[in-house]
Amino acid sequence: MKALNIFLKLSLLSVVFLACTKKENKVFFEGSTPPVLTSTASGTIVLEKDKKEEVALVLSWTNPNYMFNTGVSSQNVYYIVQIDTAGKNFTSPKLQEMSIASDLSVSLSVQELNVFLSKMEFTPGVEQSIDIRIKATLLNGTVPTYSNTLTLKVNPYLDFAVEPPGTPDNNYEDGELWVVGDAFASGWSNPLPSPYDVTQRFTRIDIMHYELVVEMAGGGAYKIIQKQGDWSAQYHALDGGTWEGGAFEKRDADPGFPGAPTAGTYKITINFQTGRYAVVRQ
């Protein structure tokens, strides 16, 4: 019995020793190969509205081959197409991005490419130069690697990220806008009573840009309407926006635009070309 106890103790010590000396298998990232980006573009890409469904550009790139000490990664690789004004080194605030699944190519229609250029506020009918590259990452944006940069010439047509007020038949020249909500003294009255039908009416800068300098009450929210007494063609803020700015869309839906936190005079700028709004205290 004593011999058995000694054997069991020795066996237990062996297990503990092996457990303590066992080396942990760690996975290390060893590098990747930058994707090689190519395109079907030849000369200036002239975008025409009546051909908006046609393919404007096909981008293709090679696999970055993420390498680990255990071999080539079996994880999904995520790709982002980045488009910026030529020479801005992809640091411009108007940089545009498009997420791609795990494919190694993407086709952009005339309309899709033109929307990107509209959000960058390129002048319609004027030749522009853009830089395009691919950003590749693993899960959660880890270990990014970038492709070579292609510089292309494009000529966009007049378009918008969000349809402006007015009628298409009149080229939106008859557009009007007002703010309605408890962020203002008017409250949610629609139609707006006097004098708010004047003090809460936007000034039209051009088809794509509207501005309003107005008194805000502090807190609350608001919507933007095209026609007095009509909610059906309103504009509302998209999730993620703040009182200072964000994205919006044309739809009878919530949420509203957040009101400024404190009472005062503010300038509201609505940009239909980019689909963005901005609010600055005066």
Side-chain angles (χ1 to χ4, degrees):
M1 186 69 176
K2 185 176 181 180
L4 179 60
N5 287 338
I6 292 173
F7 174 76
L8 291 174
K9 289 179 180 179
L10 289 173
S11 298
L12 181 60
L13 286 172
S14 298
V15 171
V16 172
F17 176 77
L18 289 172
C20 291
T21 58
K22 182 179 179 181
K23 293 183 178 180
E24 183 181 356
N25 291 323
K26 294 184 177 181
V27 178
F28 297 98
F29 174 63
E30 295 185 338
S32 60
T33 303
V36 177
L37 175 64
T38 58
S39 82
T40 57
S42 177
T44 301
I45 304 173
V46 179
L47 304 176
E48 300 177 38
K49 193 169 186 177
D50 58 357
K51 297 180 180 179
K52 63 182 181 180
E53 302 299 329
E54 296 182 10
V55 175
L57 178 67
V58 178
L59 299 172
S60 303
W61 55 92
T62 58
N63 193 311
N65 293 321
Y66 282 95
M67 293 293 297
F68 292 83
N69 59 319
T70 55
V72 179
S73 172
S74 60
Q75 302 182 54
N76 286 334
V77 179
Y78 301 89
Y79 301 103
I80 297 174
V81 177
Q82 296 184 317
I83 304 176
D84 203 356
T85 303
K88 296 294 185 180
N89 199 30
F90 300 96
T91 59
S92 166
K94 295 177 183 178
L95 168 72
Q96 299 298 308
E97 295 186 324
M98 177 182 183
S99 297
I100 309 295
S102 297
D103 297 329
L104 293 175
S105 67
V106 62
S107 294
L108 296 177
S109 69
V110 168
Q111 184 177 38
E112 287 173 324
L113 181 55
N114 201 77
V115 167
F116 287 134
L117 304 181
S118 293
K119 290 182 177 180
M120 295 165 72
E121 295 194 274
F122 281 175
T123 303
V126 177
E127 185 179 285
Q128 314 276 354
S129 292
I130 59 172
D131 286 342
I132 301 180
R133 72 178 181 184
I134 299 296
K135 176 183 178 181
T137 70
L138 293 180
L139 186 65
N140 297 324
T142 55
V143 291
T145 185
Y146 299 89
S147 75
N148 56 301
T149 297
L150 298 179
T151 300
L152 306 177
K153 293 186 180 298
V154 293
N155 192 326
Y157 59 84
L158 180 64
D159 202 0
F160 38 76
V162 177
E163 185 180 19
T167 55
D169 292 343
N170 197 36
N171 198 28
Y172 303 101
E173 294 287 350
D174 54 346
E176 295 181 299
L177 287 179
W178 290 265
V179 286
V180 176
D182 56 8
F184 310 99
S186 68
W188 289 101
S189 299
N190 185 18
L192 288 164
S194 178
Y196 308 117
D197 59 336
V198 175
T199 60
Q200 292 177 200
R201 178 180 178 177
F202 280 84
T203 298
R204 180 181 178 277
I205 308 302
D206 55 41
I207 296 172
M208 300 295 181
H209 304 88
Y210 285 72
E211 293 179 351
L212 170 66
V213 176
V214 65
E215 293 294 320
M216 286 194 175
Y222 60 96
K223 300 288 186 71
I224 297 177
I225 59 172
Q226 298 186 57
K227 184 179 179 181
Q228 291 285 333
D230 184 2
W231 293 107
S232 64
Q234 66 167 283
Y235 299 96
H236 79 103
L238 294 175
D239 288 332
T242 68
W243 74 266
E244 295 176 297
F248 69 96
E249 70 174 348
K250 178 184 176 181
R251 191 158 67 97
D252 185 358
D254 291 326
F257 297 85
T262 56
T265 304
Y266 293 84
K267 181 179 180 180
I268 304 173
T269 301
I270 304 296
N271 189 327
F272 292 94
Q273 190 170 8
T274 62
R276 308 285 297 182
Y277 68 94
V279 182
V280 178
R281 184 158 190 165
Q282 301 298 286

